[in-house]
């Protein structure tokens, strides 16, 4: 294989396929996406599927809201049913500091058009009857949030990108990025060489290695997160929101007739392992006992592990490298990449075309860390 491309996208998850679609739809010819495995086989297919605009950072709120709009019209625009359930996100708050933080977040979200609101514990219980309200002070809720199927989003974007002329190479690994001084000239792969002047890194947890091939530092570290799926739950409310105990990070939402649930594990250490283990179960059970004891009665029927792509401030890296011309990146979303994929695809398209994006994402440049200007996100799950 010896190809020529206007742009080579590295990574075939939601971010890479969204970028490919938006570029191809804008008329960019000879877009090539390179994926070393199957599409979505990395973090996207192992995501919990949540989509929301309830963040503390103004940029994340706007990225989330823009993506929610895109998910809402996905079937009409892209032609793919993504199983979107607009059941809302419900954050359960147990300390005065959490309540104050989310109250400020709701005010900011409302100013940007997001219909979030604060609830009493009793109101939270009516929405999510599996919880226990002991110790709850308040909750934050937005009805526009929800969840949908990650694999369907990837396949929808990939099919639509191909239909508009993009080429997708599966089972093809990037082995090098050639430069002439500070200018990208080619990408080498296990199937041959692709001559190009632009590389777009959307490789998720593997982005640091891809950036290193071009001499660009992308401070991304992989961290395993586990998910469990339960047996069917009798009488499960059809509009059960994505429910999150913010103190412990325990979360759950409906998955078919059962539940999908998970939480962070502070004992995990950075690495690429995605095998499952039971070391997190005692902590998970304690969190359920405290906040949703009905979950303890449910039998686990499955589960999996995937990777978060964490940055030092748990916020995304979006931009173009300052040291290498036409090396763009969209990575480091720290658990929020799936839900921000549609909006970021738009933004990277505009950065490639030299157009002004709908949102100024320059504060999310990878250079913020060398400039000692981190941008932390508080509403982490």
């Amino acid at each position: 294989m010896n190809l020529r491309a206007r742009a080579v996208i590295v990574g075939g998850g939601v971010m890479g396929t969204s970028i490919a679609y938006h570029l191809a739809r804008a008329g960019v010819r000879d877009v090539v996406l390179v994926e070393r495995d199957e599409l979505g086989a990395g973090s996207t297919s192992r995501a919990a599927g949540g989509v929301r605009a309830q963040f503390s950072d103004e940029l994340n709120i706007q990225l989330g809201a823009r993506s929610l709009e895109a998910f809402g019209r996905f079937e009409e625009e892209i032609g793919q049913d993504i199983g979107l359930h607009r059941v809302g996100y419900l954050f359960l708050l147990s300390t005065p500091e959490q309540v104050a933080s989310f109250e400020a977040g709701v005010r900011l979200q409302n100013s940007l058009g997001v219909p979030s609101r604060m609830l009493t514990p009793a109101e939270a219980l009516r929405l999510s009857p599996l919880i226990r309200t002991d110790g709850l002070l308040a909750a934050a809720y937005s009805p526009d949030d929800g969840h949908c199927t990650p694999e369907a989003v990837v396949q929808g974007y990939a099919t639509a990108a191909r239909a508009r002329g993009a080429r997708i190479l599966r089972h093809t690994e990037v082995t090098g990025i050639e430069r002439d001084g500070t200018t990208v000239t080619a990408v080498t792969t296990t199937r041959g060489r692709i001559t190009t002047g632009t590389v777009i890194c959307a490789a998720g947890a593997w982005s640091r290695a891809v950036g290193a091939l071009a001499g660009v530092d992308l401070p991304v570290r992989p961290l395993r997160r586990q998910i469990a799926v339960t047996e069917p739950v009798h009488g499960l409310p059809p509009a059960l929101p994505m429910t999150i105990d913010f103190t412990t990070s325990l979360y759950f939402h409906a998955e078919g007739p059962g539940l999908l649930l998970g939480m962070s594990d502070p004992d995990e250490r950075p690495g690429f392992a995605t095998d499952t283990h039971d070391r997190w179960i005692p902590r998970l059970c304690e969190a359920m006992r405290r906040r949703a004891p009905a979950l303890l009665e449910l039998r686990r029927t499955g589960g999996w592990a995937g990777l978060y792509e964490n940055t030092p401030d748990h916020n995304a890296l979006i931009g173009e490298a300052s040291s290498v011309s036409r090396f763009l990146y969209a990575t480091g979303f720290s658990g929020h990449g799936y839900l921000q994929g549609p909006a970021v695809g738009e933004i990277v398209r505009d950065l490639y075309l030299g157009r002004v994006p709908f949102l100024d994402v320059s504060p999310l440049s990878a250079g913020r860390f060398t400039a000692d200007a981190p941008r932390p996100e508080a509403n982490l799950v």
Side-chain angles (χ1 to χ4, degrees):
M1 184 187 75
N2 192 357
L3 295 177
R4 183 175 297 275
R6 297 284 182 89
V8 174
I9 302 163
V10 184
V14 67
M15 204 58 62
T17 54
S18 173
I19 294 167
Y21 165 72
H22 283 95
L23 286 175
R25 187 183 180 193
V28 179
R29 297 172 53 243
D30 301 325
V31 173
V32 175
L33 183 151
V34 181
E35 165 56 48
R36 68 179 185 179
D37 201 326
E38 294 291 344
L39 293 177
S43 297
T44 299
S45 64
R46 304 178 187 211
V51 292
R52 63 176 165 121
Q54 285 188 85
F55 288 96
S56 66
D57 185 302
E58 180 174 347
L59 295 181
N60 285 332
I61 295 167
Q62 292 176 284
L63 290 170
R66 184 81 161 203
S67 293
L68 284 171
E69 293 174 5
F71 287 128
R73 63 176 188 271
F74 202 93
E75 186 169 6
E76 177 184 358
E77 178 182 302
I78 307 295
Q80 174 79 44
D81 178 8
I82 58 172
L84 177 62
H85 299 278
R86 301 295 280 269
V87 293
Y89 256 63
L90 180 69
F91 286 92
L92 307 175
L93 312 173
S94 303
T95 70
E97 293 77 15
Q98 291 173 4
V99 174
S101 175
F102 273 82
E103 285 175 339
V106 165
R107 287 193 296 270
L108 179 58
Q109 292 153 22
N110 292 170
S111 74
L112 296 169
V114 175
S116 55
R117 62 183 187 269
M118 299 298 293
L119 302 180
T120 66
E123 291 172 322
L125 180 61
R126 284 195 289 272
L127 285 172
S128 188
L130 295 174
I131 67 169
R132 170 186 284 168
T133 59
D134 297 13
L136 275 191
L137 298 181
Y141 173 71
S142 179
D144 279 4
D145 299 341
H147 54 89
C148 53
T149 306
E151 297 91 337
V153 174
V154 168
Q155 292 303 323
Y157 274 142
T159 300
R162 286 191 187 103
R164 289 162 174 79
R167 182 166 181 174
I168 295 177
L169 304 178
R170 296 173 302 134
H171 303 288
T172 305
E173 186 170 356
V174 171
T175 57
I177 297 174
E178 298 178 10
R179 291 167 37 184
D180 181 2
T182 61
T183 302
V184 170
T185 57
V187 172
T188 57
T189 78
T190 50
R191 291 176 60 186
R193 187 171 182 272
I194 307 172
T195 302
T196 186
T198 300
V199 172
I200 302 171
C201 177
W206 296 268
S207 292
R208 188 160 214 162
V210 174
L213 294 175
V216 176
D217 182 27
L218 297 175
V220 174
R221 293 200 306 174
L223 186 71
R224 174 169 48 191
R225 293 290 293 266
Q226 295 199 82
I227 284 174
V229 179
T230 78
E231 65 184 337
V233 181
H234 177 70
L236 193 66
L240 179 76
M242 168 75 101
T243 303
I244 301 166
D245 180 43
F246 198 65
T247 297
T248 62
S249 81
L250 168 69
Y251 65 83
F252 58 87
H253 70 65
E255 184 76 1
L259 292 175
L260 178 152
L261 56 89
M263 65 179 289
S264 62
D265 181 357
D267 292 334
E268 280 288 357
R269 294 294 174 263
F272 288 96
T274 56
D275 55 310
T276 59
H277 61 76
D278 284 346
R279 295 190 299 274
W280 71 306
I281 297 301
R283 187 176 279 111
L284 175 67
C285 289
E286 179 56 35
M288 291 191 292
R289 186 174 296 108
R290 176 178 178 273
R291 185 53 63 213
L295 303 184
L296 292 169
E297 307 302 319
L298 300 176
R299 179 172 57 89
R300 277 191 294 157
T301 58
W304 60 85
L307 297 175
Y308 267 29
E309 46 183 283
N310 288 336
T311 62
D313 61 4
H314 297 278
N315 223 333
L317 306 175
I318 307 172
E320 181 172 353
S322 59
S323 58
V324 179
S325 176
R326 299 275 78 185
F327 182 92
L328 284 72
Y329 50 84
T331 185
F333 290 89
S334 303
H336 309 134
Y338 167 59
L339 68 91
Q340 295 182 347
V344 176
E346 287 186 59
I347 288 171
V348 174
R349 172 203 64 198
D350 291 340
L351 293 176
Y352 171 84
L353 293 172
R355 305 195 309 209
V356 177
F358 78 90
L359 184 64
D360 178 12
V361 293
S362 58
L364 297 178
S365 163
R368 70 182 184 267
F369 297 110
T370 55
D372 195 25
R375 191 179 179 96
E377 168 58 51
N379 293 5
L380 300 172
V381 180

